[in-house]
Amino acid sequence: MMEEEPMSDVRLIERWLPIAALGEESVRERRFSLAGKVLPPHNSLHVWWARRPLIASRAALLASCLPASFEHAKFLPLLGILGDPVAARRRNDAAIRAGKTPLGDKEYGYPRAFKHYPDIRDCMPDGVKSIVTVDPTAGGGAIPYESNRLGFTTFANDLNPVATTVMEATINIPLIHGEKLIPDFANLCAIMSSELEKRLEGLYPAEGNTRVEGYLWARTIVCPYCAGKIPLSPNWRLTPNGLGIRIVPKCEGGPGSIGRVCEFEVVDSEKDQSTGTVADGDAICPFPDCARIVDADEVKQQAQNGGLGEQLFAIVYKSRVETKLKSGKAGKPKWQRGFRAPRLGDDNSEAIRLRLNEKLIEWLALDIVPNEEFPDNTNDDRPRQYGMPLWRDMFSPRQLLAHGTAVEIFRELLAEDQANSALSDVRRASYIYLSFALSKFLNWNARLSSWNVKAGTMRSVFDRHDFAFKWSYAEMAIAIEGQGFAWVAEQVSSCVEDLVALASSTEHPGTLFEKKRDDEFARPVKITCRPGASLDHIADGSVDAVVMDPPYGANVMYAELSDFFYVWLKRTAGLVVPELFTRRLTDKQSEAVANKAHFKGQKGADALANRDYQEKMAAIFAECRRVLKPNGIMTVMFTHKDTSAWDALTKGLIEAGFIITASWPVNTEAEGSLHIKDKAAANSTIFLVCRPRPAEQGDETTYWEDVEPLVAKAVRTRVEEFQKAGIGGVDLYLASFGPALEEFSRHWPLKRGTPRPEPLAKKRRKQAELFEEEFDPYAVTPEDALDAARREVKTWRLNQLTHTKGRGDLDATTSWFVLAWDAFKAPVFSYDEGLRLARAVGADLEGQLIGKICEKKGSDIKLWDSATRAAKSGLGPADGSRAMIDAIHHAAHRGRTRTLDAALDLLKEAGIENDPQFLAALEAVLEVLPPSRNFVGFDLATGDAKSAADDFDALEKLRRLAFSDRVDEPQQLSFFAEEAA
């Protein structure tokens, strides 16, 4: 037998990647469509907190395995991108801006690429007989899912049993059992639904001719001053158009009397709504003869003593409306949403408590409902603060009774099938999906779920990646036709059908080099549940490519969040796959995240957590290096705005013996926004392509002073390419990190030839504390490379924003203001990122910027517009002698509050109307502030950004009045004009 030839030493991803097309197709993959089921089914089968788009995962895998010589023109069609998605997106956006109906998917001219099955059997070099990939931190499983669809031999691993179970259900079960799953799961759901309806009879009051959508509850405390029962809600809105709640306090005999409660009325206008009864954790008593503020500590104390109650304040329903066709015949009936205040008999809480208490003793004895405590050593202890020390406390008595009954039925059905020898492999798989349906319902029916006023729908517990406490929550009925269990079962059924359809597609080529048999779609993925640093089931030097999406530092605490599901799943799915659910709660000690809760009470907890994350990632990377073939490649997908996470990740890579050979930014996270958001967000995932460090490179130390210019050059070489591919804002800075770290890692180890100057040493003290090491003036870290990258992007962007030659340079304060708007596209962004941007422009954040052009709010910075600066006395001299942004804001404020002529007179009096620095500043500011409705035809800016758009309006009118011969029209207006055309 001939020995297998090694793959090419240079892979496609090390030379080229079509990042613009991949970015748009990745975003398109997640874009909702009214045209029907188009979203990937794995996204909605079960909650997981980080999944890469399938198309981005497919591209990373293929480009990591194809040789660099592969023909570029064939790559996108191979992925399933059969047109120009970037051009299609531009046409769609132009239609939206012109006020036309969005063109939608049809504009692309081909189905969403994730539905396509690539056949790569003729794409690999001769002699390559198989490809082996591994993802050691697979999470929701997008990467191994795509690796399997490509026909690769695939290893997938995750420490978390919830993720592992989700991967089995997403990848292997549909692959192995196919269409047999669909009727079996439907049968199981039908039995569950029927039993729930019987056992929960009377749990929800009869509603007559309407169908209940949800029950809206406010948490309550007792006012310590007047003994009134305070319903807590930050506002009382029900819909965006003014419908809401008016509180009607019943004061009875005055403060201290019995029976002081609130009733509720549904009102049609916002002016008739009551004001919120809780703000910043403090409660506001709504009884007019009291109206006292109840301190947040008192609210928490009552909650922890069991005094946090709940009161029904509204019922959401739909009523059936008959329709008629033009012919006069009866048409399809419509369901119209409505809201009503509670009536006598709607709140059956007392009867429910009695009913629950009867069951709870039995359920706890049989381990049917969770009895585990919410951990006291956690990053988010709000459940404990607000009186929920047990996981089951996150559910109201009625919710808990419903969920517990569902688990009870699940276990009875499973036991019956076992007793009758009817528990086939298909049936076992169906039970796993049934556990997911019950798990999904937990996410939509807890005291942490809520009412989405804007969308008019329920909002799930995990609409954010935390345990955000809800002062008012929404409850969904579990056993009402079309709602509750029927709704989640239909969702899971739809996912199963779609997963089976994808697995059994006629396009599926089967394994890489063998045509599929009729009874086999492809080889199952080898899925394991263990630490990513312990892949001892994989032989040394046996893997062609590692493709992974690792945890992002302190971004998401997966284990802490997943316990919400784990404590229930181990009582359902854990009976089917007990080997995955052996622990009381999930393993947090082995998890590779920067979890400061592990170091609570210790000095420098944040620093210790970052060091722990770095060490665990280094161990995972070292294991990846062990299993890689000598010419193997590792592609790491990473998304994070925080430089400390990049620093820790890169140190882990270097410590494990890798160098970075290429990097690519791909927009994977969110839509390119048509509306300025109030807070900045990163949209790009950076693909870092890594190789084991060549042995011949050795450990000879190189000096940073020699390498820093090479880092800067690497960034300058790539930044224009990234920008042309649609990467902008904060993502442009993130994209620059890749080439900077490439050059940095190639020359490691590094040290300084001369010590870092003392003032800079002080600025780096926080970084020194991060790893609890004494400051070394000769030390070099990856963050030095990231600082160099920022400086290059800063220079690049300022040159573009002041595009007319012969202008004066911008001062540091004005540069920071301009670049902050340019990078973050929002007035609110991370303090740490603002600090790093200040470092890049040479500004003192605390001394020059805070309190003058912005303010610090918690861990964020908020930029001020001209009106806010004037109100806070933050405006400097109008002649720009302190910073030219002062002159710009003086002119904007004068134009907004008086007239444009008055603004021009102010500039003339200051003697700067012809100053090159003023003209450059005006040009740059007009390129970065959000344009106003007067110039683009719609409200681009909302919320906190609206005032900045008002500044733009005044400044652009002033430019047209007096400076059009010296300052060009903002290029961003030309962009909007082109889109509208």
Side-chain angles (χ1 to χ4, degrees):
M1 182 175 178
M2 292 183 59
E3 186 176 339
E4 181 179 332
E5 296 180 15
M7 294 180 68
S8 167
D9 247 357
V10 182
R11 310 288 169 81
L12 183 63
I13 200 169
E14 293 179 291
R15 294 290 182 266
W16 174 82
L17 201 66
I19 57 178
L22 285 178
E24 172 50 32
E25 189 64 35
S26 294
V27 173
R28 180 192 178 206
E29 179 180 306
R30 297 180 171 189
R31 190 178 298 139
F32 179 75
S33 172
L34 297 175
K37 295 193 298 185
V38 292
L39 301 177
H42 75 298
N43 278 6
S44 52
L45 180 64
H46 193 284
V47 170
W48 193 252
W49 294 271
R51 283 185 174 99
R52 295 304 91 202
L54 295 179
I55 196 64
S57 302
R58 182 184 301 171
L61 286 155
L62 259 182
S64 297
C65 296
L66 289 171
S69 59
F70 187 78
E71 190 177 341
H72 293 183
K74 293 181 179 179
F75 186 68
L76 286 176
L78 190 63
L79 294 177
I81 301 176
L82 308 177
D84 186 342
V86 177
R89 175 60 188 270
R90 289 198 189 106
R91 292 192 294 270
N92 256 323
D93 285 354
I96 294 170
R97 291 190 178 104
K100 301 175 183 176
T101 303
L103 304 173
D105 261 13
K106 64 182 181 181
E107 187 63 23
Y108 290 78
Y110 62 93
R112 298 192 183 195
F114 77 86
K115 297 183 176 182
H116 173 73
Y117 261 104
D119 187 349
I120 66 169
R121 287 174 290 181
D122 298 325
C123 298
M124 291 296 163
D126 293 339
V128 176
K129 295 184 169 40
S130 67
I131 292 175
V132 180
T133 70
V134 63
D135 182 352
T137 57
I143 294 169
Y145 182 79
E146 282 301 316
S147 178
N148 181 264
R149 295 175 81 195
L150 289 167
F152 298 165
T153 298
T154 306
F155 292 89
N157 176 77
D158 199 273
L159 174 69
N160 196 296
V162 176
T164 306
T165 310
V166 169
M167 280 194 285
E168 284 284 358
T170 303
I171 307 171
N172 284 345
I173 292 176
L175 200 65
I176 295 168
H177 299 298
E179 294 185 354
K180 291 179 286 187
L181 290 166
I182 297 171
D184 197 84
F185 178 58
N187 170 259
L188 206 50
C189 286
I191 298 172
M192 171 63 76
S193 183
S194 175
E195 283 298 312
L196 275 174
E197 189 174 346
K198 291 176 191 175
R199 299 190 196 188
L200 298 180
E201 186 177 1
L203 197 65
Y204 304 94
E207 191 62 22
N209 295 325
T210 61
R211 186 179 73 191
V212 173
E213 293 279 294
Y215 302 89
L216 306 187
W217 298 83
R219 308 307 301 271
T220 64
I221 61 164
V222 175
C223 177
Y225 306 108
C226 76
K229 186 177 181 180
I230 304 176
L232 301 170
S233 185
N235 64 71
W236 296 96
R237 295 193 298 269
L238 296 174
T239 67
N241 63 4
L243 202 70
I245 294 292
R246 178 166 58 206
I247 300 175
V248 183
K250 300 297 181 182
C251 297
E252 297 302 323
S257 62
I258 297 173
R260 287 170 65 86
V261 297
C262 293
E263 295 180 354
F264 306 96
E265 296 176 354
V266 176
V267 294
D268 294 329
S269 63
E270 193 167 348
K271 65 182 177 62
D272 294 327
Q273 293 177 26
S274 293
T275 56
T277 51
V278 64
D280 297 324
D282 297 333
I284 303 112
C285 183
F287 294 89
D289 54 359
C290 177
R292 300 278 292 274
I293 302 295
V294 182
D295 184 80
D297 290 338
E298 168 66 20
V299 175
K300 291 177 183 175
Q301 191 61 53
Q302 286 197 32
Q304 291 162 25
N305 292 336
L308 194 62
E310 49 205 13
Q311 186 176 2
L312 185 64
F313 69 85
I315 291 177
V316 190
Y317 65 87
K318 280 188 176 179
S319 55
R320 183 186 174 98
V321 178
E322 302 296 339
T323 63
K324 286 189 176 182
L325 303 175
K326 291 181 179 180
S327 62
K329 294 182 179 180
K332 187 177 180 180
K334 294 182 179 180
W335 289 90
Q336 184 173 316
R337 179 177 290 111
F339 300 83
R340 67 170 178 81
R343 297 190 292 249
L344 191 64
D346 284 332
D347 186 350
N348 59 356
S349 298
E350 287 305 315
I352 295 298
R353 284 190 180 89
L354 292 173
R355 191 166 165 180
L356 176 63
N357 289 339
E358 290 176 2
K359 294 294 297 183
L360 204 52
I361 297 173
E362 174 191 353
W363 283 352
L364 291 175
L366 296 175
D367 197 30
I368 285 175
V369 296
N371 198 33
E372 294 87 348
E373 293 184 356
F374 188 88
D376 58 4
N377 186 27
T378 179
N379 282 273
D380 190 349
D381 63 350
R382 282 173 291 186
R384 278 188 173 273
Q385 289 181 17
Y386 289 103
M388 296 180 282
L390 303 176
W391 283 101
R392 69 171 183 268
D393 293 332
M394 291 189 180
F395 306 92
S396 71
R398 186 158 67 182
Q399 290 171 334
L400 183 59
L401 186 59
H403 294 316
T405 301
V407 174
E408 182 180 59
I409 297 168
F410 181 102
R411 294 169 68 133
E412 290 173 3
L413 294 176
L414 181 65
E416 183 179 347
D417 280 344
Q418 287 172 326
N420 295 333
S421 299
L423 198 59
S424 65
D425 287 344
V426 171
R427 194 65 163 181
R428 288 168 61 87
S430 294
Y431 275 109
I432 290 176
Y433 289 125
L434 182 59
S435 75
F436 282 9
L438 301 183
S439 188
K440 182 183 283 285
F441 196 66
L442 297 170
N443 188 36
W444 290 90
N445 205 40
R447 281 173 165 160
L448 300 185
S449 54
S450 57
W451 180 250
N452 188 333
V453 171
K454 185 175 181 180
T457 59
M458 299 279 291
R459 184 186 278 120
S460 70
V461 172
F462 291 110
D463 61 324
R464 292 173 22 169
H465 295 170
D466 59 17
F467 291 109
F469 181 74
K470 304 299 193 304
W471 296 105
S472 58
Y473 72 89
E475 177 191 19
M476 185 189 294
I478 196 170
I480 291 180
E481 183 180 355
Q483 301 297 300
F485 177 76
W487 178 71
V488 295
E490 191 280 328
Q491 282 206 331
V492 175
S493 295
S494 179
C495 288
V496 172
E497 290 171 8
D498 289 350
L499 287 167
V500 168
L502 284 172
S504 58
S505 169
T506 55
E507 292 185 23
H508 198 311
T511 61
L512 183 56
F513 299 102
E514 300 173 8
K515 186 174 176 61
K516 71 169 185 177
R517 301 193 306 270
D518 291 339
D519 61 343
E520 181 182 45
F521 302 130
R523 290 171 288 193
V525 172
K526 298 173 178 66
I527 298 174
T528 51
C529 183
R530 59 180 67 184
S534 302
L535 306 178
D536 52 16
H537 61 297
I538 304 177
D540 293 3
S542 61
V543 171
D544 294 290
V546 174
V547 180
M548 63 185 298
D549 175 31
Y552 303 154
N555 197 38
V556 180
M557 299 293 113
Y558 302 96
E560 290 183 0
L561 297 178
S562 66
D563 278 343
F564 177 87
F565 298 111
Y566 179 86
V567 295
W568 291 90
L569 280 171
K570 75 175 182 178
R571 291 166 167 85
T572 53
L575 302 178
V576 182
V577 282
E579 65 276 12
L580 294 178
F581 295 89
T582 58
R583 302 174 62 96
R584 183 168 178 80
L585 295 173
T586 57
D587 183 358
K588 298 164 189 67
Q589 293 302 317
S590 303
E591 188 179 31
V593 294
N595 192 337
K596 64 182 179 182
H598 294 172
F599 306 96
K600 190 176 290 185
Q602 299 182 44
K603 182 181 178 181
D606 284 344
L608 292 170
N610 275 280
R611 167 58 77 179
D612 184 55
Y613 170 65
Q614 177 186 315
E615 290 175 350
K616 284 175 177 170
M617 285 309 307
I620 292 172
F621 291 143
E623 186 72 341
C624 292
R625 183 175 180 182
R626 177 187 69 79
V627 302
L628 272 176
K629 294 178 178 178
N631 67 331
I633 194 170
M634 180 170 74
T635 297
V636 179
M637 302 180 181
F638 200 67
T639 302
H640 210 297
K641 289 191 298 181
D642 192 340
T643 306
S644 65
W646 282 92
D647 192 82
L649 182 89
T650 307
K651 281 188 173 181
L653 281 168
I654 290 172
E655 288 175 9
F658 282 98
I659 61 170
I660 300 169
T661 61
S663 62
W664 305 96
V666 177
N667 183 7
T668 62
E669 295 303 300
E671 291 283 2
S673 180
L674 291 177
H675 297 275
I676 297 293
K677 300 284 190 295
D678 287 343
K679 194 165 182 178
N683 296 331
S684 292
T685 295
I686 311 302
F687 291 12
L688 296 176
V689 187
C690 309
R691 292 272 192 174
R693 181 181 299 279
E696 62 271 16
Q697 185 166 324
D699 293 321
E700 183 179 344
T701 299
T702 306
Y703 290 105
W704 172 241
E705 289 83 352
D706 296 326
V707 174
E708 186 173 15
L710 301 178
V711 170
K713 181 181 178 182
V715 172
R716 284 196 302 273
T717 302
R718 301 290 299 283
V719 68
E720 183 175 9
E721 172 191 354
F722 296 157
Q723 195 173 51
K724 286 181 177 178
I727 305 296
V730 68
D731 293 291
L732 193 60
Y733 289 83
L734 295 181
S736 76
F737 290 176
L741 294 175
E742 284 179 49
E743 201 66 42
F744 181 90
S745 69
R746 286 193 186 106
H747 295 89
W748 186 262
L750 287 159
K751 73 175 185 179
R752 294 180 183 278
T754 56
R756 187 191 304 275
E758 183 63 21
L760 290 178
K762 289 179 180 178
K763 289 182 181 181
R764 285 195 54 85
R765 186 167 296 151
K766 183 177 180 182
Q767 179 66 18
E769 290 171 355
L770 184 65
F771 298 113
E772 293 203 323
E773 298 164 354
E774 184 178 349
F775 174 71
D776 179 358
Y778 294 93
V780 182
T781 71
E783 188 165 354
D784 290 304
L786 304 186
D787 283 343
R790 273 194 209 86
R791 289 193 295 272
E792 286 303 314
V793 177
K794 176 240 355 181
T795 301
W796 169 265
R797 286 302 295 149
L798 285 178
N799 286 340
Q800 289 185 310
L801 295 169
T802 54
H803 44 80
T804 304
K805 295 181 179 179
R807 293 284 162 77
D809 291 334
L810 299 185
D811 58 84
T813 298
T814 305
S815 293
W816 184 85
F817 179 88
V818 167
L819 290 173
W821 265 109
D822 179 57
F824 305 114
K825 310 294 184 190
V828 181
F829 49 87
S830 160
Y831 176 90
D832 288 340
E833 291 310 303
L835 179 63
R836 294 180 177 104
L837 187 59
R839 182 190 300 157
V841 301
D844 179 353
L845 182 61
E846 293 289 347
Q848 289 178 260
L849 307 175
I850 300 292
K852 297 179 178 64
I853 64 173
C854 61
E855 64 182 303
K856 187 174 186 295
K857 299 189 71 174
S859 60
D860 290 330
I861 286 175
K862 181 178 180 182
L863 292 170
W864 288 344
D865 68 303
S866 66
T868 304
R869 291 189 68 194
K872 293 179 179 287
S873 302
L875 282 170
D879 63 0
S881 55
R882 185 178 75 179
M884 201 53 73
I885 190 62
D886 293 334
I888 297 292
H889 273 159
H890 269 292
H893 188 243
R894 185 69 64 88
R896 287 170 62 177
T897 57
R898 294 174 62 181
T899 65
L900 294 177
D901 287 333
L904 183 58
D905 289 342
L906 180 147
L907 295 174
K908 289 179 178 178
E909 290 169 7
I912 60 170
E913 77 276 17
N914 295 313
D915 189 321
Q917 287 192 332
F918 168 76
L919 298 175
L922 177 61
E923 182 178 50
V925 168
L926 284 170
E927 287 291 7
V928 297
L929 290 183
S932 62
R933 171 183 279 273
N934 285 329
F935 293 102
V936 295
F938 62 96
D939 288 323
L940 182 69
T942 58
D944 288 337
K946 179 65 170 62
S947 293
D950 292 338
D951 276 350
F952 177 94
D953 192 78
L955 291 170
E956 175 57 12
K957 288 175 180 175
L958 182 63
R959 184 198 68 80
R960 295 187 180 199
L961 172 69
F963 301 105
S964 61
D965 59 332
R966 288 162 290 171
V967 179
D968 293 340
E969 179 178 275
Q971 290 183 348
Q972 62 169 326
L973 291 185
S974 301
F975 167 75
F976 285 110
E978 290 170 6
E979 292 294 303

